[in-house]
């Protein structure tokens, strides 16, 4: 398949991505939240539970994994990548190596992972990955973000995206503006617009094919410390921001959930898909927490809860898929 075909299949009608690529420390925090130890076996058991949920492929077209999971076998000895492939679900791989301070003592972050990336991508392709992810983090605060933070992160995102396309895979380009802070929705709008301008400028400069990539942005939303906005306002401001900054040729937009609740992440995505204005891109999801919070609560690390946890995952997938189609309703919760 060409990268264009893969990108289109991932954002096919009603479908989106499960982000299950938490690094070992991050999944450790999620497991600690339900009193489960962060061992390789527990991580495998949890990811296997998700990937073997019957009928998830009606709603989920791709799963992003961490390096360990891409190499892992399920309890019956078959590779987790093959378990997904049998369901017709594409395997994705997080290839950035996490963030570090932009400068010593700086609160701003720069994402690492370009060293040796070309070689790693070849191996990931061999292991079955067909798409990849790199996350840049932008913080809003006093005198932040700086132009330097935005442009350095944008350059690395573009270099990564080009290498991924050259390796025959679809890059997910993720510049995440964090929800942390007490900024209002208009400040988020301004920073998201500036960041996306810078990212697409670099993507053009690096010859990235926009119809063979997916953008994974934040929604335009007020900071956590600044109260809530209605879904309609979030939808209008987000789409307005994209009209100014995201070229129509981009194969698809797959939102992150960023700390929104499961229900909020559905309501906001649904409101965007319902908006009766020109939207040249598919508007879908690549949710981590908003597809998994209730699954972890249903599971609690106990084998007798596996079926309940699978049911919770199927329900979240179904409702998020409805939001992706603009047919979600909070009565479905
Ligand atoms: P959340 O949906 O929990 O923000 O995770 C998505 C993701 O992949 C962040 O990089």
């Amino acid at each position: 398949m060409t990268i264009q075909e893969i990108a289109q299949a991932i954002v096919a009608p009603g479908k989106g991505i499960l982000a299950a690529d938490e690094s070992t420390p991050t999944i450790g925090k999620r497991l600690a939240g339900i009193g489960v130890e962060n061992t390789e076996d527990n991580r495998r058991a949890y990811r296997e539970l998700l990937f073997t949920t019957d009928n998830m492929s009606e709603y989920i077209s791709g799963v992003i994994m961490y390096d360990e999971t891409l190499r892992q076998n399920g309890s019956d000895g078959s590779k987790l990548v093959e378990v997904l492939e049998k369901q017709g679900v594409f395997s994705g791989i997080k290839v950035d190596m996490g963030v570090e301070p932009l400068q010593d003592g700086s609160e701003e972050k720069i994402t690492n992972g370009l060293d040796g990336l070309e070689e790693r991508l070849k191996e990931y392709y061999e292991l079955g990955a067909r798409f990849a992810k790199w996350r840049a983090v932008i913080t809003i605060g006093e005198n932040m973000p700086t132009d330097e933070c935005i442009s350095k992160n944008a350059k690395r995102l573009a270099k990564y995206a080009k290498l991924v396309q050259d390796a025959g895979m679809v890059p997910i380009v993720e510049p995440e503006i964090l929800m942390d802070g007490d900024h209002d929705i208009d400040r988020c709008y301004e920073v998201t617009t500036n960041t996306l301008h810078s990212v697409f400028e670099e993507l053009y400069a690096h010859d990235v094919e926009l119809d063979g990539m997916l953008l994974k942005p934040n929604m335009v939303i007020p900071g956590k410390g600044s109260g809530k906005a209605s879904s309609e306002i979030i939808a209008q401001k987000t789409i307005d921001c994209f009209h100014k900054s995201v070229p129509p040729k981009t194969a698809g937009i797959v939102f992150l959930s960023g700390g929104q609740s499961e229900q909020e992440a559905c309501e906001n995505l649904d409101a965007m898909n319902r908006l009766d204005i020109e939207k040249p891109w598919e508007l879908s999801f690549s949710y981590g927490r908003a597809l998994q919070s209730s699954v972890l609560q249903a599971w609690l690390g106990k084998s007798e809860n596996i079926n309940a946890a699978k049911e919770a995952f199927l329900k979240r997938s179904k409702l998020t898929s409805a939001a992706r189609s603009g047919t979600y309703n909070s009565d479905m919760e």
Side-chain angles (χ1 to χ4, degrees):
M1 278 174 103
T2 64
I3 56 172
Q4 283 76 11
E5 286 165 343
I6 297 169
Q8 276 169 21
I10 291 175
V11 292
K15 302 226 176 148
I17 297 172
L18 164 68
D21 60 324
E22 300 84 0
S23 64
T24 303
T26 302
I27 194 67
K29 284 187 216 155
R30 310 269 189 270
L31 294 176
I34 53 164
V36 172
E37 210 188 327
N38 190 12
T39 62
E40 188 178 343
D41 267 350
N42 286 339
R43 293 191 293 273
R44 176 214 324 274
Y46 175 58
R47 265 74 181 246
E48 185 173 16
L49 172 173
L50 293 169
F51 302 175
T52 54
T53 295
D54 284 342
N55 303 322
M56 76 147 172
S57 60
E58 281 180 40
Y59 316 110
I60 303 292
S61 51
V63 175
I64 321 175
M65 285 170 272
Y66 192 56
D67 183 277
E68 173 184 275
T69 319
L70 192 77
R71 302 171 190 279
Q72 238 167 7
N73 293 339
S75 48
D76 70 354
S78 55
K79 292 203 162 306
L80 290 178
V81 172
E82 284 161 13
V83 170
L84 290 172
E85 199 182 322
K86 263 191 215 141
Q87 297 219 48
V89 173
F90 290 102
S91 288
I93 177 74
K94 170 188 170 76
V95 302
D96 68 70
M97 306 289 267
V99 297
E100 64 174 27
L102 182 63
Q103 273 125 17
D104 276 352
S106 156
E107 260 184 76
E108 294 195 293
K109 305 281 192 267
I110 180 80
T111 304
N112 284 325
L114 288 173
D115 286 347
L117 180 58
E118 212 174 332
E119 289 310 308
R120 287 195 287 134
L121 290 173
K122 279 186 199 146
E123 191 194 1
Y124 287 145
Y125 189 95
E126 292 301 316
L127 288 168
R130 290 297 174 269
F131 70 103
K133 171 187 129 173
W134 177 290
R135 173 176 178 253
V137 177
I138 307 289
T139 310
I140 300 183
E142 215 183 317
N143 302 321
M144 294 188 294
T146 57
D147 290 344
E148 185 192 0
C149 179
I150 293 176
S151 75
K152 279 196 172 158
N153 273 299
K155 278 197 173 64
R156 290 192 185 180
L157 273 167
K159 282 186 183 154
Y160 137 85
K162 178 67 178 155
L163 288 173
V164 171
Q165 290 190 334
D166 288 348
M169 293 184 275
V170 172
I172 295 188
V173 173
E174 180 178 7
E176 174 174 5
I177 319 296
L178 294 178
M179 272 170 75
D180 301 329
D182 51 14
H183 53 274
D184 63 13
I185 191 168
D186 291 327
R187 180 77 178 127
C188 180
Y189 176 97
E190 182 190 12
V191 173
T192 306
T193 310
N194 290 344
T195 302
L196 292 177
H197 276 160
S198 181
V199 167
F200 279 99
E201 201 175 297
E202 293 294 343
L203 290 168
Y204 282 124
H206 287 81
D207 270 333
V208 173
E209 295 177 57
L210 300 188
D211 56 358
M213 64 155 264
L214 298 167
L215 177 70
K216 178 162 174 169
N218 51 285
M219 299 179 188
V220 172
I221 214 163
K224 269 189 213 155
S226 149
K228 303 258 181 212
S230 71
S231 295
E232 289 68 32
I233 296 286
I234 290 169
Q236 277 165 10
K237 297 219 184 226
T238 304
I239 301 302
D240 187 51
C241 166
F242 293 171
H243 279 147
K244 290 191 179 144
S245 53
V246 183
K249 208 178 167 204
T250 309
I253 294 177
V254 290
F255 288 99
L256 58 95
S257 59
Q260 299 177 57
S261 70
E262 293 175 334
Q263 187 167 337
E264 281 168 339
C266 282
E267 285 170 353
N268 294 335
L269 179 60
D270 183 66
M272 281 184 237
N273 278 301
R274 278 178 199 258
L275 262 195
D276 188 17
I277 51 171
E278 170 75 12
K279 287 166 288 185
W281 341 261
E282 295 295 329
L283 294 170
S284 184
F285 58 90
S286 174
Y287 290 169
R289 284 162 285 179
L291 278 171
Q292 295 184 58
S293 303
S294 54
V295 185
L296 285 161
Q297 290 303 325
W299 180 47
L300 299 175
K302 299 192 170 113
S303 51
E304 65 267 30
N305 291 342
I306 285 180
N307 284 340
K310 284 177 190 264
E311 262 172 46
F313 177 49
L314 198 65
K315 177 179 169 186
R316 284 299 4 130
S317 302
K318 185 175 179 178
L319 268 53
T320 312
S321 159
R324 184 248 176 283
S325 308
T327 58
Y328 168 86
N329 183 316
S330 57
D331 294 343
M332 295 156 92
E333 288 291 341

